[in-house]
Amino acid sequence: MNREEEELRRRSRESEQRYLALVETAKDGVAILQSEKTVFVNRAMADILGYTVEELQDRPYREYLMLDERTTSPKRYGGLLEDRPGYTREIKVQRKDGTACDLEISGAVIQHEDQPAILVIARDVTERKRVEEELRGAKEAAEAANRAKDEFLANMGHELRTPLSGIIGMTSLLQHTETTPQQRKYVRTVSRSARALLTIINDLLDFSSIEAGRMSIEPVPFDLKFAVDDVVQVLSARAMEKKLELSVHYSLDAPRRVIGDAGRIRQVLTNLVDNAIKFTNEGHVLVTVECEEKTRDQARIKLSVEDTGIGIPESTLDRIFDKFTRVDTSPTRRHGGTGLGLAISKQLVELMSGSMEVHSHPGDGSAFWFVLSLPVQSDIGVALLEDRPTYSRVLVAEDNNVNQEVAATILRKLGCDVEVAGDGRQAVEMTGDNPYDLIFMDCQMPIMDGFEATEEIRRRERISGHHAKIVAMTAHTAKEDRDRCLEAGMDDYIGKPVTYEDFRALLQRLRP
Ligand code: ADP
């Protein structure tokens, strides 16, 4: 043997020893299989499967690598060893003592004594899988608990809002009847208290939806100026009581017909104007709508609410959008509130891809503003929207007597010719030979609910060719609930409790 050959052998021996040491100390199981036989296993592989190395050496692998047939298909046996290099798969096997074991294995084709063989690397992932399983279980339990909480909140919200609907609706009616000045004062107080309660309930429900990531934004075409004017008009009585001047400046270059979530934009604006009135004792509250940037089909619009009120101390200003923040936290604080309004408003604006900011100084008043980029529509036809609604034949399908009366009376005041059905079946029968222009449909009614009734009416219309606008009246205004209304064939929805202002805005919106 010449020196060169000797050197080669030495190197080869060294390399082999290195590999052997590597394989023997490895924590992963290593085996070489050739013609179904185990030509090599390391200690780790034997340990994982609960055998000794000697027990496995030279044995056909099918004898000890027992697939757990409850979880791993036996058909996969063949495939086990045909994997592409680098491909990893998980299998469940049984150890010598019969216990189950999760293996993550990968294989590669190698040469062993000049013949093709398969190198298998196996890692025991039983513990990891157990922890994963446990975590999954815990996560599922937490999710179920969370769902139960959400459901509970939604149901509670419904239970709380239903009687409140009656109170608010009836007070809204009472305000349009002849009353003595003293009675008017009482009615105003009832109305204000009921609305305050409704705001709190809505805030809590909104807040929990946002926290649960269930709040969605639904853009629709609407008239922004109309919405802003309407918010201000609804709050004008409160401003008047405090002798505050409440006005709107709608910049001429700001578009009117935009596409956005009208309801949420109104909600944010209402909250800001409401706060401004609440925290201002003299002077004015000014709502400004300006256009910061406009292209042919998109506009960046800034809506600000400025007041001459008490202002906000600097120490609170950077926490003002945090939940539960209130400046006056004394037990005798003069202004109520949950401290959620601004947190919700800011989050809603951010959900609409906008931003909200504040500028304030104690004694110098406050300015809150939010900026939204909204698609714009052509302004043609806006003038028409200003007109009074012209609906004539209206059907109200509602099982609750109080709600029936509230809805019917308000609609009559708005110039509609109203008839009432007490459940879905009756509504379907009444539409039979008597086409209505507009149908207000309570969703939950006995005998036949609003969804079924709508589907039935739509089925009949396919024959008659008539199309009545159907509007859901629902306390559930989550997106899924509204989608369900639209799916059933309704055109629109109105959130309960319904008020004069809501009906008026809706009729204007639906005007043919
Ligand atoms: P709340 O429901 O308590 O009014 P908000 O989140 O709407 O909750 O407001 C949080 C706090 O921010 C209020 O309690 C008040 O202290 C302060 N605040 C909000 N708007 C104004 C304002 N325009 N002027 C002065 N303080 C304000």
Side-chain angles (χ1 to χ4, degrees):
M1 198 186 298
N2 64 25
R3 276 190 56 193
E4 237 170 73
E5 271 177 344
E6 216 166 273
E7 175 66 14
L8 244 156
R9 279 187 178 212
R10 193 183 58 76
R11 280 207 201 162
S12 149
R13 229 180 6 254
E14 269 183 25
S15 153
E16 203 169 302
Q17 278 168 355
R18 255 200 316 270
Y19 276 112
L20 208 62
L22 244 168
V23 167
E24 279 308 332
T25 49
K27 288 220 168 57
D28 287 345
V30 179
I32 299 174
L33 314 173
Q34 198 168 44
S35 314
E36 306 236 334
K37 261 222 173 115
T38 313
V39 294
F40 172 83
V41 280
N42 69 348
R43 179 172 304 282
M45 184 63 123
D47 286 349
I48 290 171
L49 298 170
Y51 293 88
T52 62
V53 172
E54 292 69 32
E55 280 177 308
L56 299 182
Q57 188 69 41
D58 295 330
R59 259 175 90 176
Y61 69 85
R62 281 173 192 263
E63 280 180 30
Y64 63 88
L65 202 62
M66 286 179 290
L67 293 185
D68 186 338
E69 296 192 357
R70 283 163 300 181
T71 46
T72 314
S73 146
K75 277 200 200 116
R76 293 179 62 182
Y77 231 138
L80 205 71
L81 304 174
E82 289 161 16
D83 288 340
R84 283 161 279 133
Y87 179 87
T88 318
R89 67 157 81 208
E90 272 182 17
I91 57 167
K92 222 182 214 340
V93 299
Q94 282 180 30
R95 294 196 188 92
K96 187 182 179 187
D97 65 5
T99 54
C101 168
D102 291 292
L103 291 186
E104 191 180 84
I105 62 162
S106 52
V109 176
I110 57 165
Q111 285 296 109
H112 180 79
E113 291 175 351
D114 286 336
Q115 296 293 319
I118 290 153
L119 174 76
V120 179
I121 305 214
R123 174 170 298 184
D124 186 353
V125 291
T126 315
E127 181 60 15
R128 194 189 76 198
K129 293 277 280 189
R130 191 187 59 77
V131 173
E132 271 173 15
E133 249 4 34
E134 241 176 58
L135 278 178
R136 189 167 326 125
K139 185 163 166 267
E140 272 164 19
E143 277 167 1
N146 224 359
R147 265 197 307 278
K149 187 197 74 183
D150 285 349
E151 247 164 59
F152 170 77
L153 267 171
N155 285 338
M156 269 309 274
H158 180 65
E159 293 303 319
L160 291 167
R161 276 196 275 215
T162 305
L164 250 190
S165 297
I167 301 175
I168 291 176
M170 281 293 172
T171 5
S172 156
L173 281 185
L174 209 55
Q175 274 166 337
H176 289 89
T177 60
E178 272 195 30
T179 40
T180 66
Q182 195 183 31
Q183 283 168 337
R184 264 200 296 286
K185 209 173 114 202
Y186 293 161
V187 173
R188 264 205 305 276
T189 311
V190 174
S191 165
R192 201 179 306 139
S193 311
R195 277 176 188 287
L197 184 54
L198 183 67
T199 308
I200 294 172
I201 294 170
N202 285 342
D203 273 4
L204 286 173
L205 293 174
D206 276 355
F207 179 69
S208 71
S209 304
I210 293 177
E211 292 277 291
R214 279 189 295 103
M215 177 69 79
S216 55
I217 293 300
E218 290 151 63
V220 289
F222 74 105
D223 184 338
L224 182 61
K225 180 164 192 299
F226 180 77
V228 174
D229 285 342
D230 206 48
V231 167
V232 167
Q233 211 223 315
V234 170
L235 293 170
S236 63
R238 291 206 29 233
M240 218 137 69
E241 275 169 34
K242 290 185 81 173
K243 301 201 171 53
L244 300 175
E245 189 195 329
L246 172 61
S247 49
V248 182
H249 173 73
Y250 201 99
S251 174
L252 278 178
D253 62 352
R256 291 188 55 166
R257 292 294 294 173
V258 293
I259 296 172
D261 191 326
R264 295 302 175 189
I265 293 173
R266 288 170 76 112
Q267 181 180 351
V268 173
L269 199 62
T270 302
N271 184 39
L272 296 185
V273 177
D274 194 57
N275 276 348
I277 296 173
K278 187 153 61 165
F279 297 104
T280 303
N281 299 321
E282 57 183 26
H284 70 255
V285 173
L286 173 64
V287 181
T288 312
V289 182
E290 291 159 303
C291 187
E292 287 197 331
E293 208 177 287
K294 191 156 76 174
T295 60
R296 218 170 59 95
D297 40 27
Q298 181 100 6
R300 200 161 76 220
I301 302 169
K302 177 176 172 184
L303 297 102
S304 34
V305 179
E306 197 188 288
D307 65 55
T308 54
I310 60 173
I312 300 162
E314 206 177 328
S315 56
T316 334
L317 209 51
D318 51 352
R319 285 188 294 114
I320 202 76
F321 294 116
D322 291 353
K323 54 199 177 199
F324 313 125
T325 297
R326 292 188 318 248
V327 175
D328 177 10
T329 50
S330 60
T332 52
R333 67 200 169 83
R334 293 190 313 162
H335 307 286
T338 52
L340 283 177
L342 287 176
I344 293 172
S345 298
K346 186 169 164 81
Q347 296 202 47
L348 285 176
V349 167
E350 283 168 2
L351 276 175
M352 296 187 270
S353 309
S355 59
M356 180 178 269
E357 283 177 69
V358 57
H359 182 84
S360 181
H361 208 267
D364 289 344
S366 311
F368 283 85
W369 67 91
F370 59 104
V371 180
L372 294 173
S373 283
L374 300 172
V376 292
Q377 285 200 314
S378 127
D379 274 356
I380 299 166
V382 168
L384 285 176
L385 284 162
E386 306 277 292
D387 295 345
R388 269 184 71 84
T390 56
Y391 269 108
S392 41
R393 304 216 52 222
V394 176
L395 176 68
V396 173
E398 159 74 64
D399 62 311
N400 180 296
N401 287 344
V402 179
N403 291 345
Q404 253 178 23
E405 198 174 331
V406 170
T409 317
I410 294 175
L411 286 165
R412 284 191 189 112
K413 274 187 190 299
L414 285 165
C416 303
D417 181 1
V418 187
E419 279 166 41
V420 177
D423 60 64
R425 163 103 351 252
Q426 213 181 340
V428 172
E429 277 162 16
M430 288 173 74
T431 51
D433 37 27
N434 222 353
Y436 293 89
D437 302 303
L438 177 61
I439 302 171
F440 285 95
M441 188 73 83
D442 182 22
C443 293
Q444 290 156 325
M445 286 184 288
I447 303 170
M448 184 189 271
D449 69 21
F451 304 110
E452 212 183 315
T454 302
E455 278 162 15
E456 183 58 31
I457 292 172
R458 290 292 182 236
R459 209 169 6 253
R460 293 179 182 207
E461 282 179 350
R462 253 173 258 144
I463 301 161
S464 68
H466 176 79
H467 183 90
K469 287 225 161 92
I470 304 184
V471 177
M473 291 192 289
T474 173
H476 292 276
T477 47
K479 180 161 185 332
E480 310 88 76
D481 303 308
R482 287 182 246 172
D483 285 349
R484 195 158 162 229
C485 295
L486 301 183
E487 248 164 51
M490 304 194 198
D491 301 276
D492 211 322
Y493 60 86
I494 186 164
K496 279 182 173 178
V498 289
T499 63
Y500 186 87
E501 283 73 26
D502 294 336
F503 270 123
R504 196 189 46 157
L506 183 104
L507 291 184
Q508 227 131 14
R509 189 162 80 229
L510 283 187
R511 195 173 176 277

